[in-house]
Amino acid sequence: MASITVPHGHTEHKDYIHEADGIWSWLTTLDHKRIGLMYMVTTMIFFAAGGFFALALRLEHWTPTQTIMTAGTYNKYFTLHGAIMVFLFIIPSIPAALGNFMLPLMIGAKDVAFPRLNLASYYIFLAGAGLALYAIVFGEGVDTGWTFYTPYSIKTGSSVVLVVSGVFLAGFSSIFTGLNFIATIHKLRAPGMTFHRMPLFVWATYATSILQVMATPVIGITMVLLAMERFLHIGIFDAKLGGDPVLFQHFFWFYSHPAVYIMILPGMGIISELIPVFARKPIFGYRAIAYSSLAIAAISFLVWGHHMFVSGQSDFANIVFSLLTVLVAVPTAIKIFNWTATLYKGNIKLDTPMLYALGFIFLFSIGGLTGLFLAALSVDVHLTETYFVVAHFHYVMMGGTVMAMLGGFHYWWPKIFGKMYPEMISRVGWFFVFMGFNTIFLPQFWMGAHGMPRRYYNYPPQFQLAHQISTVGSWIILIGFLIHTFALLWSLKYGAKAPNNPWGGKTLEWTVESPPTMHNFHEQPVVTAFPYEYKSERV
Amino acid sequence: MSNPTGAAGGRVFAHHFDSADHEFDTSKFGMWLFLVTEVMLFGGLFVAYIIFRNLYPEMYRECHHHLNKVMGATNTLVLIFSSWTMARAVGMAQRNERKKSLQLMAVTLVCAAIFLVIKYFEYRHKFEEGLLPGIHFDPSLNGITHPKADLFFSLYFMMTGLHGIHVLIGMSLIGWIMVRTSKNQFSDKYYTPVEMVGLYWHLVDLIWIYLFPLLYLIA
Amino acid sequence: MLKRLGILGVLNVLGANAYASMINLPQASEMAARVDSLYDFLFWLSVVALTGTTIALLLFVKKYHRSQKGRETAYILGSHTLEITWTVIPLLIMLFVFAWGYKDYVFSRLDPPGAVEVNVVGRQWLWNFEYPNGRKTMNEFYLPKGKPVKLILTSEDVIHSFFLPNMRTKTDVVPGMYVYLAFTPTLVGDHPVYCSMYCGTGHSDMLATLHVLEPADYETWLQTGKAPGIVPAAFHGSEGDAKPLSQAEKGAAVAASKGCIACHTADGTKKIGPSWKGIYGTEEALEGGGKAKVDENYIRESIMTPTAKIVKGFPPSMPPFAGLLNDEEVNALIAYIKSLK
Ligand code: HEA
Ligand code: HEA
Ligand code: CUA
Ligand SMILES: [Cu+2]
């Protein structure tokens, strides 16, 4: 790839963190790296908040009846846990934090196409989050489940409108980020950076952005209608006024199914970067991986009805949705196989990012395969609305996306902050996260298959042991996250200075300083090769 | 601050673009993407419309007689005309015809205002006849017999209301570029915002062109 | 060596897990067995796919680890043959899974003629059942073994979901719409019903019991309201308890089985409705002014026609229980409420 030469006698450029001082220089920055960093900090705070509610939920389930909170509180907590994790953490986390930071670097651009819009997205996101927080702290919270199903969400006394407006704003922030990335990828690639030379993370972000732009407006209008339903009783979703409550579910899932791929595709993109770098081999089946992202994005618009197999929709619709759902699993399987094949005859190093990549493949496969149980009509009728579904989506969202995100954090940490994280401590952190995660959610598959309904405050006593194991797991994972947080924060002050390319990566972000300067590249890079050009070498 | 502009051949553009044309192309591409999201936003309402129409075709037929076709048609013509004036205004801006561009935009703005005034009279009429969404619907004032008629007016108000908000946004945008035009900020070298607002206004028009037959002209 | 042990360990865990994960619930309908076989198939398919991938991963990691010196890495960009193989094979497997699920689903949706029909109405947070001959029950219902049955369900307020894990079936119960659930019970005994669609504070208390009876016993029950060998769930004492229950103890059981505890507590905490603790003998302030003395008649009226007198500060959201509780049960409830000092 292009090499960057710093011209002689050029005054030393300051990196993007030190380029300008003072909080104001951050709040008004148009630099994609600074905005990415602000997103990173913000979404991590929301992750911790969502995690707090999760720990509380788990603790409540230590006993089959009341342990630490009332039913009303429990219902608010799982709603807030789900809504925060989905709308304020996982959807913005990888694209808006790592994507914002890395995408322009990876395609050799100085910034995203619309830097002002980028900053505006961040503030719109904050405004949305602010509304939701206001509802939690000063309002009555919200107790509808993150799915806001009507007519319950019309009748309940909690602060639904505030939260729903928050979701609306967060949605528009996500739309603007996606729009910005699509324009950036189409228009700002460096000379020689053809589509087929783009790193796979960029491909994945591209597919994600398409979903964000096309699907998110639908949740926007759905939230507007729900708010109108509460303000004006327009009746569209209210059976009492002639409307159809199930229509709400169609609208909701028309967005929220593509949204689950908005959550996973960027994670898959990270894995596609980590595997070749830490195996020192070209990625196996570059085009298959790139195009399968687009295939997933396309099919994902057609499967929303698999969340509604028992909702009362027609049998015919059920059958069609089930068929399309099994099809969407195929491009995912392709990726799993290509990643595995990349390791063959490589030169593998098990640093923390690679541990996360391997953990991802294992855990996401469990999540995906259990998705297949849910796609099979007759089995889903039994499993839907039970803890089996809860376990499925945590395996894909936490076991998939969050693992990939943590891998990405460690991989790009040296680039973002110019410091190496402490390798041994982080590996220990990985171990706790991995073990804790499985301890929480494996028992939940068993519980679900045996009929434990989800969103249950009181539960039948035969599930107590499984619930307790699960609760212990949540403590183990907490230790893991505390170790990671400690290790990463420690490295900011005491970590070794990072070289420009600590992992021997071939993508453009590794050709610039760690941390990069304000304008990323001192000279326009020119791309001449494939991003994973690892020649055969002797070990 | 951190977004210095480059200048080549007198054209001004942001530092991360190669040329003013490059910037213009990119902005236009972005605008088209934004229009896609707008279409999807309205798409939700259109889908709800189609579903209920399939369920209760006779209700739609009964209710649409209570919409004022003359006013709707007038509004359609007004908006189509305004789209044409807006397109001409953009053309004038490209050719450095500042005065003409300003005049055409003013006409567009007036058309938009006429549209809203007509809409206001339509809405007032609906209020008087109890043709209102959901629980506010009052059949005793209008004699509609179908039990689900409130849904038609929920959709009517949601769709035209959201469209009306878009008209208002469009009007403010046109006002904004009129101010900038009068400050002589555009030329054949740089007229991106004028072009973008033009695109937006066409979309607002286009959506109405769908709304009109769907709501007023049910066979 | 260590790695090999590791692999064995993983296999062991998977094996143990395999055993535990099979659905170990009574199979109380024909559907149950069908669902279980597809579940088991999917389970083993997953085990094979997962162990396959995992073994490949671990093997590669071990063999091509940086510590394994003296070899050459390969420069491989891909392989069309492999891509096609691992597209087509999973595709076929998945289509097979779809077809199997489809077949059983269609079976479960058949609407057998001459089925025993029961109307089910869900409301926050209890289930009402009504039989064609007019018999009504609440939170427990009765079906004959071996006969096809068809439940016709709807909801009075929000969406609920009627979940019979032992029959491996459920359906959402939607206001303004009738849905049905058809199955043939094959196992005599008591089977739990859960509300599995989140419906508010009492969601997890919205439980019911299905008693599947021999057809003859079912006929008896249908005619007399008493089923040989079955004490209504409300009157069950604790297991192996020979001592007859006191009136108040019976009342506590009725309160649990008829869903009162979704809204009322015995310990003074407010839920949807006022707590019962210490209300007997007091003067209750009523909505719209006025007072009422809480005595037997007031309690009875509050249960049967709650809207007659609304307690101040509470919504009139309690459902009327007239026709749903018999005298014996109401007396037990009154005794129970009196006992809460
Ligand atoms: C990151 C998010 C994410 C991802 C990627 C997925 C991926 C998939 N999901 Fe999941 N899903 C959710 C998040 C996600 N899901 C959420 C949040 C819910 C519930 C929301 C709620 O109700 O609150 C849900 C619920 C859900 C349901 C509804 C369940 C119900 O409520 O009844 C269904 C049903 O079909 C389903 C199916 C699938 C399938 C088939 C995939 C496929 O894409 C998976 C494909 C992957 C694989 C198949 C594994 C890897 C492949 C191999 C190891 C190769 C070998 C395989 C074979 C040969 C078969 N999901
Ligand atoms: C991204 C999505 C995501 C993630 C990561 C998680 C993570 C977790 N979830 Fe979540 N969950 C959902 C999305 C997610 N969940 C959704 C959508 C629902 C459905 C809600 C509904 O039904 O409406 C749900 C529901 C749900 C339930 C079911 C509730 C019910 O149905 O009654 C349970 C129960 O165990 C649970 C548990 C957990 C646990 C223990 C974790 C743990 O893995 C969490 C671990 C995290 C921490 C412990 C945080 C620690 C972090 C730090 C210490 C970092 C601090 C550092 C800085 C600030 C720098 N979740
Ligand atoms: Cu009724 Cu949950
Ligand atoms: Cu889905």
Side-chain angles (χ1 to χ4, degrees), chain A residues 71-72 75 78 143-145 149-152 155 239-240 245-246 249 278 280-286 288 309-312 315 318-319 322-323 326-327 329-330 333-334 336-338 340-341 343-350 358 361-362 365-366 369 372-373 376-379 381-386 388 442 446 449-451 453-458 460 462 530 533-539, chain C residues 10 14 17 20-25 31 34-35 38-39 42-43 45-46 49-50 53-54 56-57 60-61 64-79 82-83 86-87 90-91 94-95 97-98 100-102 104-106 109 124-125 156-159 161 163-165 168-172 174-177 179-180 194-207:
Chain A
N75 296 341
F78 73 67
D143 73 335
T144 58
Y149 273 15
T150 54
Y152 184 74
K155 295 184 66 176
K240 285 227 164 63
V246 179
Q249 299 177 24
F278 288 89
R280 301 203 65 73
K281 258 195 72 201
I283 189 101
F284 193 95
Y286 172 88
F309 286 155
V310 302
S311 68
D315 290 342
N318 278 347
I319 290 161
S322 169
L323 177 62
V326 296
L327 294 185
V330 175
I334 294 174
I336 300 267
F337 294 128
N338 278 298
T340 311
L343 300 181
Y344 175 71
K345 293 211 172 169
N347 184 10
I348 297 165
K349 198 153 173 270
L350 289 180
L358 297 175
I361 298 182
F362 180 77
S365 292
I366 298 182
L369 288 163
L372 223 52
F373 286 59
L377 266 177
S378 61
V379 177
V381 170
H382 175 60
L383 295 177
T384 185
E385 296 161 2
T386 68
F388 193 94
L442 269 183
W446 178 85
H450 288 80
R454 64 190 283 203
R455 298 170 172 171
Y456 256 32
Y457 166 70
N458 294 322
Q462 69 265 31
F530 180 64
E533 197 59 32
Y534 291 97
K535 295 287 179 226
S536 176
E537 62 184 12
R538 265 211 87 66
V539 182
Chain C
V10 169
L14 286 172
N17 204 35
S21 290
M22 301 298 188
I23 300 182
N24 185 20
L25 283 178
M31 249 328 259
R34 289 178 174 241
V35 168
L38 179 50
Y39 184 93
L42 281 164
F43 182 83
L45 173 75
S46 305
L50 187 67
T53 330
T54 312
L57 280 179
F60 289 164
V61 167
Y64 308 119
H65 190 260
R66 209 151 284 195
S67 58
Q68 308 291 312
K69 303 278 179 215
R71 57 195 181 83
E72 191 106 6
T73 65
Y75 181 81
I76 309 171
L77 290 176
S79 146
L82 278 176
E83 295 297 346
W86 63 47
T87 306
L91 179 66
M94 288 173 200
L95 287 176
V97 168
F98 159 72
W100 189 339
Y102 160 79
D104 287 347
Y105 178 73
V106 170
R109 300 296 296 165
Q124 283 171 324
W125 290 279
E156 282 179 16
D157 38 40
V158 300
I159 305 181
S161 185
F163 178 25
L164 278 159
R168 313 284 189 277
T169 191
K170 70 164 73 68
T171 181
D172 284 2
V174 185
M177 175 174 163
V179 294
Y180 72 91
Y194 303 123
C195 174
S196 60
M197 171 59 79
Y198 175 67
C199 54
T201 321
H203 165 56
S204 64
D205 300 325
M206 192 167 160
L207 312 173

Side-chain angles (χ1 to χ4, degrees), chain B residues 2-163:
Chain B
S2 59
N3 200 27
T5 47
R11 300 175 173 204
V12 187
F13 54 91
H15 81 293
H16 55 294
F17 294 108
D18 301 337
S19 65
D21 278 351
H22 186 202
E23 179 170 41
F24 176 75
D25 278 357
T26 310
S27 304
K28 201 159 164 182
F29 183 80
M31 192 64 199
W32 277 107
L33 285 172
F34 180 68
L35 298 187
V36 170
T37 69
E38 289 277 23
V39 169
M40 294 303 292
L41 189 73
F42 277 94
L45 291 173
F46 282 115
V47 168
Y49 171 93
I50 293 167
I51 288 172
F52 287 116
R53 182 164 170 178
N54 278 332
L55 286 174
Y56 316 113
E58 68 296 345
M59 180 268 274
Y60 273 55
R61 231 168 293 128
E62 182 177 0
C63 291
H64 94 281
H65 288 304
H66 293 259
L67 300 184
N68 189 326
K69 289 193 189 53
V70 178
M71 284 185 171
T74 316
N75 258 347
T76 311
L77 292 178
V78 168
L79 271 196
I80 291 177
F81 178 71
S82 79
S83 223
W84 178 75
T85 54
M86 188 67 213
R88 297 253 307 152
V90 176
M92 289 301 151
Q94 289 173 7
R95 265 172 271 146
N96 286 330
E97 304 255 20
R98 194 158 64 90
K99 271 246 166 60
K100 281 192 185 152
S101 174
L102 263 179
Q103 284 164 0
L104 284 160
M105 283 194 245
V107 176
T108 314
L109 214 50
V110 170
C111 289
I114 295 177
F115 176 91
L116 287 181
V117 170
I118 295 183
K119 205 77 244 151
Y120 165 77
F121 283 110
E122 279 195 74
Y123 274 11
R124 210 179 68 178
H125 197 66
K126 302 282 163 311
F127 273 73
E128 282 161 4
E129 292 203 346
L131 299 166
L132 291 170
I135 50 168
H136 309 287
F137 183 78
D138 187 350
S140 68
L141 292 176
N142 50 53
I144 293 185
T145 51
H146 198 285
K148 309 233 166 173
D150 60 313
L151 289 181
F152 182 85
F153 293 97
S154 299
L155 286 167
Y156 169 81
F157 275 100
M158 286 299 120
M159 294 171 107
T160 57
L162 189 64
H163 178 262

Side-chain angles (χ1 to χ4, degrees), chain A residues 41 44-45 47-52 54-55 57-58 61 74 78-79 81-83 85-86 89-90 144-147 263 387 390 393-394 397-398 402 437 440-441 444 453-457 467 470 474 477-478 481-482 485 489:
Chain A
V41 173
M44 284 323 289
I45 291 172
F47 179 58
F52 163 77
L55 293 171
L57 293 178
R58 288 299 346 140
H61 276 170
Y74 182 84
F78 73 67
T79 304
H81 165 66
M85 284 294 197
V86 169
F89 163 61
I90 198 168
T144 58
W146 80 282
T147 47
M263 302 170 199
Y387 265 72
V390 174
F393 67 68
H394 282 92
M397 297 206 287
M398 176 109 203
V402 175
F437 175 76
I440 304 173
F441 294 109
Q444 296 191 358
R454 64 190 283 203
R455 298 170 172 171
Y456 256 32
Y457 166 70
H467 270 302
S470 181
S474 71
I477 206 169
L478 174 65
F481 279 116
L482 291 177
T485 312
L489 293 181

